[in-house]
Amino acid sequence: MFPIKLTGAQIFFKVLEEEKVEVIFGYPGGAVLDIYDELCRHENIRHVLVRHEQSAVHAADGYARASGKVGVCLVTSGPGATNTVTGIATAYMDSIPIVVFTGQVPTRLVGSDAFQEVDIVGITRSCTKHNYLVTDVNDLARIVKEAFYIARTGRPGPVLVDIPKDVQQATARYEPIKEIKLKSYKPVYKPNVKQLQRAISLIKKSKRPLILSGGGVVHARAHEELREFAEKIKSPVTSTLMGLGSFPPDSPLWLGMVGMHGTYAANMATGECDLLIGIGVRFDDRVTGKVDTFAPNAKIIHIDIDPTSIQKNVPVTVPVVGDCKITLSMLNKMLNEDGIDEKELEQIRKDWLFQIEEWKKSKPLKYEQKEGEIKPQYVIETLYELTKGDAIIATEVGQNQMWAAQFYKFHRPGQLLTSGGLGCMGYGFPAAIGAKVACPEKTVVDIAGDGSIQMNIQELATAIQNNIHVKVIILNNSYLGMVRQWQELFYERRYACTYLSYAPDFVKLADAYGAVGLRVEKPEEVRPVLEKALSIPNVVFVDVRIPPEENVYPMVPAGSPITEMILV
Amino acid sequence: MAKERNEKEQKHIFSLLVENQPGVLARIAGLFSARGYNIESLCVAPTVDPEISRVSLVTTGDEFILEQIKKQLNKLINVVKVYDYTQIPYVQRDLALVKVRAKPEHRAEILRIVDIFRSRVVDVSPDYYTVEITGDEDKIEAFLKLLRPMGIKEIARTGPVALARELV
């Protein structure tokens, strides 16, 4: 076919269709009008109109986490673009594949401080995997194609493409891009076999191994391979917050989450293990605690797709650069061919597994149930039962996030959506909206606090207008709970500016938006009200009044070794 | 790991091949400032391939920081290749233009120094000589030391540019 001339806006959608984009989260404005005008002619692409551009990015991010596909977001120039920055940084820290398209003033005005002009490429340079300013319509198809490619390959991440208005209007001959040629970008997927052999020899010798699984296993959907690997080498498994869902929570080898609010067993095991196998992790400070005392007795095998993660925070004995799924299946294959002596392995690991079991039994996750008080942990346990462990859970940030991570058990990758790296309040609600768009058949619940829900509460309108029936459980303690907890424990209870003495009536507020608001004030109401909330075919806000001074335990004070925990 | 840090700070020269596109230098400079790495000097110019530029970059850090710098540079999409010139033989040159006061009684001495250092006078005005010198850092420092008593008015220096002696 002879290539025909198309406008930039038309070319934009041609590439989106090639990339099989189903949904765009966005907000129109002057500098993207041409793309929006063209959008009307593409009924196969759903547009979800949000109420704030930050939410468009979070929703695209939630969509990407839940579906494993690239999330797409479209906003205008200037304030539309700057509003995306928090969302982009969130996706960047958690390695989420999204592409953010921003309108820009016409090229002849770029640099003139024109109306609604900002240098968004300059602003986002340090929080995107890569970004582009398109200055010629002839480059548009290639750049959009590259953006998707870069976002989803290697260590995934957000990519921003800034498209000036005149580029959207200009015409060019269009031919589908068949091949992406990037001189310098060639992610390594297949690990070095020699390193794997070294890893296996350490694994065989180890008396006290521990697997630490992270977001990389979730992103690579390597959960099956991980389970096989752990069972084969008879090693207990813990995970980071981002790694929840990568290992079956009902396995006897599962220890729960590690880190600042990790389980006693997981943190103790990290302190005592003689071999730590980090898979798709980056040894963040919330995981390691005081880094000098982290896993003091252990040799470390570190598997990650991003070479910069390796040797960044902790010294590593065996570095392995590769995709988690490919690396684990290669390890499994090598172990099979090697023929490991299971009996012998069981013998070597016997004391260790016994010790682990002791830790698990002696200090499990727990909370004190007091008469008449609604414990947030109980709310989440009840939610787990009622949803049969199958719901997609989004969280905000703070206590709500940690209770959700501790007391909901995650069975599959993409089931927990949480801002792990950036710790971004206001993330959960729009992310839940994005996830519900990706998985309409699943129950999607945002576990929120009364502080963070108010950071993007305007998205109630988005959920109602687009019939996206997510449920929001507000664990309402009238405080910025996690900050208050730090003040209680480390600042002698001086609750500076963390008391939210005024909050809207969330039930009435939901009602005003056309959603359903429910309130829980007594422990015995928890179950029936949650049941009702889950059964109503609408957006539901559940305002749960929890004790104001309930804390998240275990807790490792920042900068302490992770084996030194404050327990309940 | 933190314990080992800062013990062995070493000066280091990286040579990068980068795509000759707007914003590439900003990405490199931004990486250094955001992660708290030090740039001692930086030189950029196109190579024989006009689409590719070479960046010669001098930085300091211990071996862990230098390893991170190398990996982080490699991670930038527009950076095609990162050469680390520490372990391989390489040649390195600085160029300096030095404007030195040329009082009549000093002129002969200046020209003698210029001659000894195999540099040359590229501009003469009633009061000043402008001298061009190339060489490694030590040579240029020695040269400047000798000229200083005559009165150096201005200096423009490139910072080192470097190439490996063999093709790597």
Side-chain angles (χ1 to χ4, degrees):
Chain A
M1 197 181 73
F2 190 73
I4 39 161
K5 274 202 163 188
L6 298 178
T7 66
Q10 288 169 328
I11 291 171
F12 175 81
F13 281 101
K14 280 277 178 200
V15 183
L16 257 56
E17 278 162 7
E18 282 168 30
E19 289 292 324
K20 301 191 173 58
V21 172
E22 296 160 344
V23 56
I24 296 174
F25 301 90
Y27 204 97
V32 273
L33 271 180
D34 291 273
I35 291 178
Y36 268 94
D37 191 49
E38 184 61 27
L39 175 67
C40 303
R41 299 188 193 94
H42 298 266
E43 285 174 3
N44 48 342
I45 295 181
R46 179 178 182 190
H47 182 270
V48 176
L49 176 64
V50 295
R51 292 299 182 273
H52 187 293
E53 289 91 348
Q54 182 191 338
S55 300
V57 188
H58 288 327
D61 169 316
Y63 173 90
R65 292 190 206 221
S67 67
K69 298 179 205 160
V70 178
V72 179
C73 162
L74 176 64
V75 301
T76 191
S77 64
T82 53
N83 276 344
T84 64
V85 172
T86 302
I88 293 172
T90 305
Y92 185 64
M93 290 290 268
D94 289 346
S95 312
I96 307 303
I98 56 169
V99 181
V100 177
F101 295 100
T102 52
Q104 180 57 281
V105 300
T107 42
R108 73 193 143 77
L109 291 180
V110 167
S112 71
D113 298 326
F115 177 66
Q116 293 198 327
E117 182 193 356
V118 294
D119 172 19
I120 196 63
V121 168
I123 290 171
T124 58
R125 205 171 270 135
S126 63
C127 62
T128 49
K129 185 170 170 188
H130 196 54
N131 60 16
Y132 295 91
L133 168 65
V134 188
T135 50
D136 182 345
V137 68
N138 292 296
D139 296 332
L140 182 64
R142 176 185 57 80
I143 287 176
V144 174
K145 194 89 181 167
E146 281 178 12
F148 278 90
Y149 176 74
I150 291 172
R152 72 167 172 264
T153 51
R155 177 177 176 178
V159 178
L160 180 137
V161 184
D162 198 21
I163 312 176
K165 186 157 177 154
D166 55 333
V167 173
Q168 299 167 32
Q169 292 166 336
T171 57
R173 295 199 183 282
Y174 170 73
E175 261 182 301
I177 309 283
K178 300 252 164 52
E179 198 191 352
I180 292 164
K181 280 176 268 172
L182 287 162
K183 274 200 185 81
S184 56
Y185 176 71
K186 290 177 187 78
V188 175
Y189 290 92
K190 240 182 115 187
N192 183 325
V193 176
K194 284 220 173 77
Q195 296 295 71
L196 296 188
Q197 284 162 345
R198 285 179 63 204
I200 286 177
S201 99
L202 285 183
I203 289 167
K204 280 185 176 167
K205 273 181 241 154
S206 162
K207 289 189 176 127
R208 302 187 305 279
L210 176 67
I211 293 171
L212 170 61
S213 154
V217 179
V218 169
H219 297 327
R221 300 294 194 255
H223 51 300
E224 291 293 339
E225 289 79 1
L226 175 65
R227 186 183 48 75
E228 190 187 335
F229 177 65
E231 285 171 1
K232 216 182 277 295
I233 66 167
K234 308 210 180 317
S235 166
V237 180
T238 178
S239 94
T240 65
L241 176 66
M242 293 301 296
L244 292 175
S246 64
F247 194 75
D250 36 23
S251 162
L253 293 171
W254 175 241
L255 300 181
M257 182 174 74
V258 75
M260 183 173 273
H261 297 290
T263 64
Y264 180 77
N267 286 356
M268 290 307 287
T270 311
E272 294 293 317
C273 65
D274 67 359
L275 177 66
L276 186 73
I277 309 167
I279 311 175
V281 293
R282 58 188 177 86
F283 296 105
D284 173 86
D285 57 285
R286 286 297 193 263
V287 163
T288 60
K290 190 180 179 194
V291 74
D292 298 336
T293 58
F294 176 72
N297 309 309
K299 292 190 165 133
I300 296 179
I301 298 170
H302 189 180
I303 300 168
D304 201 89
I305 196 157
D306 179 4
T308 65
S309 289
I310 295 172
Q311 300 274 31
K312 184 173 66 180
N313 297 334
V314 296
V316 169
T317 321
V318 183
V320 181
V321 178
D323 171 77
C324 291
K325 197 177 176 85
I326 294 170
T327 306
L328 281 169
S329 58
M330 279 172 76
L331 277 170
N332 288 337
K333 194 160 165 256
M334 287 165 78
L335 286 163
N336 280 344
E337 284 163 3
D338 240 23
I340 27 169
D341 189 338
E342 295 215 2
K343 284 252 165 56
E344 194 190 310
L345 220 50
E346 248 164 54
Q347 197 58 36
I348 304 176
R349 307 276 156 85
K350 206 175 70 186
D351 293 347
W352 175 236
L353 293 172
F354 180 76
Q355 172 69 71
I356 296 263
E357 213 39 52
E358 277 296 300
W359 283 327
K360 283 209 283 196
K361 273 190 203 133
S362 68
K363 294 188 175 72
L365 283 176
K366 62 178 178 190
Y367 56 94
E368 284 170 51
Q369 187 65 67
K370 275 190 205 144
E371 184 67 31
E373 277 187 355
I374 307 173
K375 289 286 176 167
Q377 300 91 337
Y378 170 70
V379 176
I380 291 163
E381 280 177 342
T382 311
L383 178 71
Y384 178 77
E385 280 172 36
L386 293 176
T387 54
K388 301 187 180 63
D390 188 51
I392 293 175
I393 303 292
T395 78
E396 303 293 339
V397 166
Q399 289 184 320
N400 60 79
Q401 178 185 33
M402 288 301 117
W403 285 320
Q406 290 176 334
F407 289 90
Y408 202 95
K409 299 191 198 95
F410 300 93
H411 294 262
R412 58 174 195 277
Q415 199 184 353
L416 170 65
L417 322 174
T418 193
S419 172
L422 194 70
C424 176
M425 288 169 72
Y427 167 79
F429 187 28
I433 289 172
K436 184 71 179 173
V437 170
C439 311
E441 74 292 351
K442 294 281 182 200
T443 300
V444 180
V445 184
D446 174 33
I447 295 174
D450 51 312
S452 40
I453 190 60
Q454 292 185 71
M455 282 213 186
N456 269 323
I457 201 157
Q458 75 286 348
E459 298 311 318
L460 263 167
T462 307
I464 296 290
Q465 177 177 333
N466 295 282
N467 285 314
I468 303 166
H469 295 163
V470 299
K471 319 291 175 184
V472 179
I473 297 176
I474 303 168
L475 301 172
N476 185 347
N477 55 9
S478 303
Y479 274 108
L480 299 174
M482 186 58 93
V483 185
R484 188 209 54 75
Q485 176 171 338
W486 281 56
Q487 289 171 332
E488 177 188 331
L489 298 174
F490 314 120
Y491 292 85
E492 296 164 337
R493 288 181 178 258
R494 290 186 298 276
Y495 293 165
C497 310
T498 43
Y499 179 44
L500 303 176
S501 58
Y502 178 77
D505 181 328
F506 290 113
V507 173
K508 279 192 194 156
L509 185 87
D511 188 51
Y513 273 97
V516 176
L518 303 170
R519 182 165 289 126
V520 184
E521 283 167 316
K522 296 187 195 107
E524 59 272 22
E525 293 169 357
V526 170
R527 184 174 288 270
V529 172
L530 285 185
E531 262 172 358
K532 189 174 167 197
L534 293 169
S535 68
I536 295 173
N538 197 347
V539 180
V540 184
F541 264 39
V542 188
D543 180 15
V544 187
R545 298 304 175 92
I546 63 166
E549 295 200 323
E550 183 66 22
N551 286 340
V552 179
Y553 293 119
M555 177 171 196
V556 179
S560 297
I562 57 163
T563 45
E564 290 174 16
M565 289 159 270
I566 307 170
L567 297 163
V568 179
Chain B
M1 192 175 248
K3 273 181 285 186
E4 286 118 309
R5 277 198 181 148
N6 302 322
E7 274 172 19
K8 277 197 205 149
E9 289 261 324
Q10 22 173 315
K11 204 172 222 182
H12 218 79
I13 185 155
F14 286 108
S15 182
L16 324 176
L17 294 180
V18 303
E19 289 180 290
N20 189 1
Q21 280 176 10
V24 177
L25 191 58
R27 284 180 208 281
I28 293 168
L31 168 70
F32 275 73
S33 65
R35 296 195 179 263
Y37 308 144
N38 181 30
I39 299 181
E40 206 142 285
S41 77
L42 185 105
C43 257
V44 197
T47 60
V48 276
D49 177 352
E51 286 183 12
I52 300 287
S53 291
R54 182 182 292 275
V55 178
S56 301
L57 191 154
V58 179
T59 182
T60 51
D62 63 27
E63 66 175 295
F64 292 102
I65 289 177
L66 293 170
E67 187 189 331
Q68 266 299 310
I69 291 176
K70 197 170 156 185
K71 287 174 172 176
Q72 294 284 358
L73 285 169
N74 260 314
K75 197 170 156 180
L76 294 176
I77 307 278
N78 300 127
V79 172
V80 180
K81 189 94 192 165
V82 179
Y83 296 108
D84 179 349
Y85 282 169
T86 332
Q87 273 100 32
I88 51 171
Y90 67 98
V91 286
Q92 172 195 330
R93 288 290 178 271
D94 257 42
L95 183 143
L97 293 173
V98 186
K99 189 179 286 170
V100 61
R101 183 172 279 281
K103 286 186 192 160
E105 65 267 33
H106 287 150
R107 288 187 183 179
E109 174 67 5
I110 292 171
L111 291 176
R112 212 164 23 241
I113 296 168
V114 164
D115 197 38
I116 292 167
F117 278 82
R118 276 180 272 170
S119 54
R120 46 193 197 118
V121 177
V122 289
D123 190 44
V124 181
S125 67
D127 297 323
Y128 294 103
Y129 284 165
T130 301
V131 184
E132 169 205 302
I133 178 167
T134 59
D136 62 18
E137 232 184 326
D138 291 348
K139 179 180 167 188
I140 290 175
E141 285 301 333
F143 182 70
L144 293 176
K145 196 174 163 193
L146 290 176
L147 286 187
R148 208 156 276 138
M150 335 284 179
I152 294 175
K153 189 74 182 167
E154 281 179 314
I155 304 175
R157 278 178 78 167
T158 58
V161 293
L163 272 184
R165 293 186 59 194
E166 303 289 329
L167 210 56
V168 283

